[in-house]
Every structure is written in C-alpha cells, then in structure tokens.
Amino acid sequence: MTLEGILPVWKPAGFTSHDVVAKVRRILSIKRIGHTGTLDPQVTGVLPLCIGRATRMVEYIQELPKEYEAVLRIGLSTDTEDMTGTVLEEVPLVSLDEAQVRKVLESFVGDIEQIPPMFSAVKVDGKRLYELAREGKEVERKARKATIHELEILELNLDQKHPEIRFRAVCSKGTYIRTLCVDIGKVLGYPAVMESLIRTSTGNIRKEQCLTFEQIVQMKEEGSLQQHMIPMDIAISHIPSIALTDQETVHSLQGKKIALAANRVAHADASQTIFRAYSPDERFLGLFEWKSTSHVLVPAKVFL
C-alpha cells in the first residue's frame, strides 16, 4: 500500500528539519516528502511531514498557528539568542516581581514586530543570515510582523541568580520565540536568552499524535503506519468545506470551473476564498477557489 497523508513526527534534538525529512525518506523508501515548518536543531517537537500527494498541502499547513513551550532566562544574552551561542552580556543581579513579569508578558499579546536574529534562515541579498553570522558579519535586518495569539506563564522562578520564566505561546507563522524572549527581557530591563524550546502543536496537530523515529520504523514493519497518519484534508480542516453534486464532482476532476449559486457558499465573505470540496460519497476532491464576482469554483489543487 502506498503511504499518503500527514505523518506527525516528534523531532528530536540535534536534527535539522531537513535531517528529519532525509531520515524518514530512508525509513520509508519514499522520495516525495516535505516538512511544514523549520525547527532549529536544538528544538524538539511537532514536525508534520507531508507524504506523497499530501506534499501539495505543505503551504496551507505552514500557514497555521504554532504552539510552543519555552523557558526564558533573564540576566544574560548570547549572539544566537539561545544557549547555544557565545555569551555577550551577563548581569550579576536581577530583581523582578511576579506582577511586573505578568504585565510585561501581557503587553506582547497581539500584533508585534520582530527583527530576525542573525542566526536564522532569512535571506538578505540572496544569502541566509546564519551563513553571514558564521562569517562574523552582521547586517541590517528589516522588522517583520508577527502575531502572538496567546501567551501564558506556566512557571516562574524569580529568586535565582538568573530568573527563569516558562511560558506557553500560540503564535503566527514566522514568529521567532528566541527574539520574543530577548524582547521581553528588554522591556523588563535586562538581557535575556531562550534557554529551551518545544513545539507542542502545528495547527490541530498536537504532540500527543506524534511518532518517534523508532515508532515509525516499528509501524512500517507491522504495516500499521498509514492508520497513524492524518488524512490531508483533516490536517487543513480550518479551511471551509463544500459538498458537490455527482455532475459537479465529474467536472471538478476534469479541472473545470464549477458554477454555483452564491447561497451554497456559506463562507464566501471574501472575493477569493479557498474551499475543500467533497463528492456526494464524502470523498475529498481537492481545493477550489471561490470567485464571488463570477460565482464559480476554480480548481486550485485537484486530487484525481
């Protein structure tokens, strides 16, 4: 049986996202695999892999909010904004109280701007920042918008030399938790660094669903791996759905535009909206774009 769908992998420390893809390719002997969001090597957590035709879903899963658990250490800074880097500054004494910390973290909820760290994959003039950083260069970076949907303190240890704050963050694609930690420290009046980070979910794919490399190997040998994979349309269940008739299903699989009455598109509140389309027997047909001006569904990604 050909494997297809979203494989929720638990990324271990020491692997890049590309390393994970390469290892799973070897385990499954499948070339068509794509990951849905880069994680730094020292970061562990949820890394959904799109297998087979599901690679066409990568861009939609990448856009989903991510959830993280992080530990922020206050009182020192590094050139990488995490504990893998060289210490640049350290203060002998940090004095903070809980009310102060809570107020500052609350101020970061909503739309924020971040300057990408030098040790990141952002490209400037065709070269990745981390490549420039390894050459000892620092270049000007433009601020980028991010959204912090939720920020919850999980644990406070404020009585030690370098206080620690463990928090949960739900944020938009492209948010740098390292930079968030540094910026929180700045508002508190101290240098700060991200001590550790775990990604606990990507969209509706949570850590409890994830498989280790060892489990993937075992399930492949048992022939049970497909049942642990997430169907591609379920992984993008945030996209509204629409049911087509038999005739419309035939036309959809032929890549034709489908004329629809506007009242059948209940979620059409924008000029262009993506829908998951289903046949009368509830088979996922693909993604279609609703054109409100002409009242037609246009094929975006059709699965024959």
Side-chain angles (χ1 to χ4, degrees):
M1 181 176 65
T2 301
L3 291 171
E4 183 174 88
I6 314 302
L7 180 63
V9 177
W10 186 259
K11 189 189 92 63
F15 281 74
T16 67
S17 298
H18 290 294
D19 291 339
V20 173
V21 170
K23 187 170 181 68
V24 173
R25 276 195 181 119
R26 290 194 295 271
I27 293 172
L28 302 182
S29 299
I30 294 175
K31 289 185 178 180
R32 201 174 175 188
I33 300 179
H35 71 75
T36 57
T38 302
L39 284 176
D40 291 335
Q42 78 277 13
V43 177
T44 62
V46 177
L47 184 64
L49 299 187
C50 295
I51 311 291
R53 294 187 302 170
T55 53
R56 301 175 71 191
M57 297 290 109
V58 166
E59 63 187 281
Y60 300 99
I61 299 174
Q62 281 179 338
E63 294 296 325
L64 292 170
K66 314 291 193 298
E67 181 185 75
Y68 297 93
E69 286 186 11
V71 175
L72 158 61
R73 183 185 290 188
I74 301 171
L76 72 157
S77 65
T78 70
D79 57 352
T80 59
E81 301 185 348
D82 60 28
M83 294 303 293
T84 67
T86 301
V87 174
L88 301 176
E89 183 183 4
E90 186 171 359
V91 297
L93 180 65
V94 175
S95 177
L96 294 170
D97 62 62
E98 182 175 341
Q100 179 185 8
V101 171
R102 290 190 180 279
K103 183 178 180 180
V104 168
L105 263 69
E106 286 173 6
S107 72
F108 279 85
V109 177
D111 295 332
I112 63 172
E113 287 196 341
Q114 294 187 317
I115 296 177
M118 278 302 301
F119 282 88
S120 66
V122 173
K123 283 188 176 182
V124 173
D125 296 330
K127 202 159 189 179
R128 298 199 183 275
L129 287 177
Y130 65 75
E131 295 173 337
L132 296 169
R134 288 169 184 164
E135 296 171 5
K137 299 175 182 177
E138 182 163 354
V139 297
E140 184 178 350
R141 288 96 70 200
K142 292 181 179 179
R144 296 163 57 140
K145 291 183 180 180
T147 302
I148 308 298
H149 302 289
E150 299 176 38
L151 200 54
E152 176 190 8
I153 294 174
L154 301 176
E155 186 178 358
L156 288 175
N157 294 302
L158 301 181
D159 296 329
Q160 54 197 50
K161 178 183 177 182
H162 292 141
E164 292 181 349
I165 304 168
R166 188 166 70 89
F167 64 88
R168 180 184 71 88
V170 180
C171 54
S172 63
K173 171 193 173 185
T175 302
Y176 290 98
I177 302 297
R178 285 178 289 157
T179 303
L180 177 63
C181 290
V182 170
D183 291 343
I184 288 171
K186 287 178 182 176
V187 178
L188 288 168
Y190 295 98
V193 68
M194 185 186 79
E195 183 171 316
S196 63
L197 182 65
I198 301 171
R199 183 193 281 165
T200 51
S201 75
T202 292
N204 60 12
I205 302 172
R206 300 199 56 80
K207 62 181 180 180
E208 294 81 11
Q209 299 168 270
C210 289
L211 305 175
T212 64
F213 292 144
E214 294 75 17
Q215 289 173 316
I216 293 169
V217 170
Q218 181 181 348
M219 290 175 184
K220 184 204 174 189
E221 292 173 351
E222 295 172 348
S224 62
L225 186 58
Q226 181 65 57
Q227 66 195 60
H228 288 87
M229 293 175 66
I230 301 166
M232 63 181 93
D233 59 319
I234 300 301
I236 55 168
S237 59
H238 62 288
I239 296 176
S241 64
I242 188 167
L244 301 182
T245 65
D246 286 326
Q247 188 61 50
E248 289 164 350
T249 296
V250 171
H251 288 165
S252 73
L253 296 178
Q254 293 171 343
K256 294 180 180 179
K257 296 178 182 179
I258 302 169
L260 291 180
N263 62 6
R264 286 182 58 191
V265 188
H267 303 277
D269 56 357
S271 59
Q272 295 183 352
T273 307
I274 295 292
F275 283 82
R276 291 175 294 140
Y278 290 85
S279 65
D281 60 357
E282 299 184 347
R283 179 163 50 102
F284 177 54
L285 302 171
L287 295 174
F288 288 74
E289 190 174 359
W290 170 246
K291 303 288 189 179
S292 61
T293 53
S294 51
H295 288 190
V296 294
L297 282 177
V298 178
K301 295 181 187 292
V302 178
F303 295 92
L304 300 177

